[in-house]
């Protein structure tokens, strides 16, 4: 069966089901009950297919320069009827209908990381505003994402305002709400906390988190007894976390860890003074004479050090997905200053990303020439644009092309082993008058 048509049918069915869930509309009795040019289905499709143009340009593009185009005002009024939670439901429903549960040694590999999105400037929006001393501040949302490294799709996201930014709290929330198959949560530095470790353990799942190296003054490993003859090691650490601070506990710093009141640990309270936790600490050397330090609850019998290294390297998939999501799919280009509208677009951009990845990942790049220097893969940026054009065509009633055959020809070389220093520079919100 044609994979693209199947996915379109699943998406259409999910949208139809969402329309019947009246609790996601601001006026449950009347919203989207009258016949209009911009009905509920077209609103969803239009917002999914938007790029970086102004609202008028997007409408002209979507309706093929029709003189009877809906106006920008009509679009704003229609999307104002929908709560952002509706688009979150749609994303989750599409994922549930299309997930394949691809596994590595019986585990789903779920990377958790965050990225910030600059939004329109509003100094009076205290929830999203970030002051910069004497310089002009900025406003942002922070996305905390759980990304399936084997299926290349986003499983879950949490959107936080700048004022409530808490990646560890979001990590724990994502872990607690996960109801799927057994999984390994893979995360980078910044998620190294006993509370996060405990949340994963209590949920009967696995984690693999990079922490600051043992030579760092602020490393979590400073309280571990890591006496070893080698710079590389694989050791088991046992800790007893406690709210008490007796003389005996202070003396035995390698076995006990005092949790002060200004630190969050959800499994200690007035009725529970101690919490036992056990995990592996793995340290290995990189090619550039640097070392990485990993904390995990994966057993030595099930995963060797080399497999631990391989799993951590796979985490880079979520970093490249953020780049594709922001620049190829267009997550950086919002079409409103309103915060609830921006949240709508975030969920729909991620839905479009997942929809596209389901198509792209089954396509084998067409490579008729032999003895080429490099292997080849689908050009993701070109594929995203092709799929957007396809969705616009089928919703306008046109006979859709076979986009899988078109995408097969859009290829680019895979150049392994290339690296360059990360170019970190401040980026500003793209104001509407410049689009």
């Amino acid at each position: 069966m044609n994979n693209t048509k199947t996915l379109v049918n699943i998406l259409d069915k999910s949208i139809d089901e969402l329309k019947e869930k009246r609790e996601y509309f601001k006026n449950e009795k009347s919203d989207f009950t009258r016949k209009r040019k911009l009905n509920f289905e077209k609103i969803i499709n239009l917002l999914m297919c938007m790029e970086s143009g102004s609202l008028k340009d997007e409408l002209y593009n979507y309706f093929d320069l029709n003189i009877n185009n809906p106006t920008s005002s009509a679009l704003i009024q229609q999307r104002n009827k929908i709560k952002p939670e509706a688009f979150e439901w749609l994303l989750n429903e599409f994922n549930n209908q299309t997930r394949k549960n691809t596994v590595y040694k019986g585990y789903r590999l779920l990377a958790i990381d965050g990225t910030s999105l600059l939004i329109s400037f509003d100094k009076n929006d205290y929830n999203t505003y970030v002051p910069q001393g004497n310089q002009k501040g900025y406003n942002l949302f922070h996305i905390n994402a759980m990304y399936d490294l084997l299926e290349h799709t986003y499983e879950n996201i949490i959107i936080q305002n700048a004022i409530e930014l808490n990646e560890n709290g979001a990590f724990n929330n994502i872990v607690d709400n996960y109801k799927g198959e057994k999984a390994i949560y893979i995360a980078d530095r910044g998620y190294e906390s006993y509370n996060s470790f405990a949340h994963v353990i209590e949920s009967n799942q696995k984690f693999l988190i990079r922490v600051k190296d043992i030579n760092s003054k602020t490393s979590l490993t400073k309280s571990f007894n890591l006496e070893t003859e080698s710079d590389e090691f694989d050791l088991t650490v046992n800790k007893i976390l406690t709210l008490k601070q007796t003389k005996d506990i202070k003396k035995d710093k390698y076995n006990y860890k005092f949790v002060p009141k200004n630190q969050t640990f959800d499994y200690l309270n007035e009725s529970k003074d101690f919490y036992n936790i056990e995990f592996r600490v793995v340290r290995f050397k990189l090619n550039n004479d640097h070392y990485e330090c990993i904390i995990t609850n994966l057993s030595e019998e099930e995963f060797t050090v080399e497999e631990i290294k391989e799993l951590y390297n796979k985490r880079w998939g979520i970093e490249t997905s953020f780049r594709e999501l922001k620049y190829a799919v267009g997550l950086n280009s919002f079409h409103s200053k309103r915060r609830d509208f921006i949240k709508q677009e975030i969920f729909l951009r991620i839905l479009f990303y997942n929809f596209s990845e389901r198509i792209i990942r089954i396509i084998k790049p067409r490579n008729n020439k032999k003895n080429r220097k490099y292997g080849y893969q689908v050009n993701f940026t070109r594929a995203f644009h092709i799929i957007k054009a396809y969705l616009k065509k089928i919703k306008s009633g046109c006979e859709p092309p076979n986009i899988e055959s078109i995408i097969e020809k859009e290829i680019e070389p895979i150049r392994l082993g290339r690296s360059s220093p990360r170019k970190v520079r401040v980026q500003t919100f793209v104001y509407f008058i410049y689009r």
Side-chain angles (χ1 to χ4, degrees), residues 52 429-435:
S52 58
F429 177 77
V430 180
Y431 287 91
F432 300 114
I433 59 174
Y434 295 111
R435 296 191 187 169

Side-chain angles (χ1 to χ4, degrees), residues 9-34:
N9 290 336
I10 292 172
L11 180 60
D12 288 344
K13 183 179 178 182
S14 299
I15 293 172
D16 289 341
E17 289 182 17
L18 175 58
K19 189 177 179 181
E20 299 302 317
K21 295 183 177 294
R22 307 301 299 174
E23 66 269 22
Y24 289 118
F25 301 130
K26 292 183 179 178
N27 190 324
E28 297 182 15
K29 293 183 178 180
S30 62
D31 286 345
F32 294 104
T33 56
R34 295 174 58 188

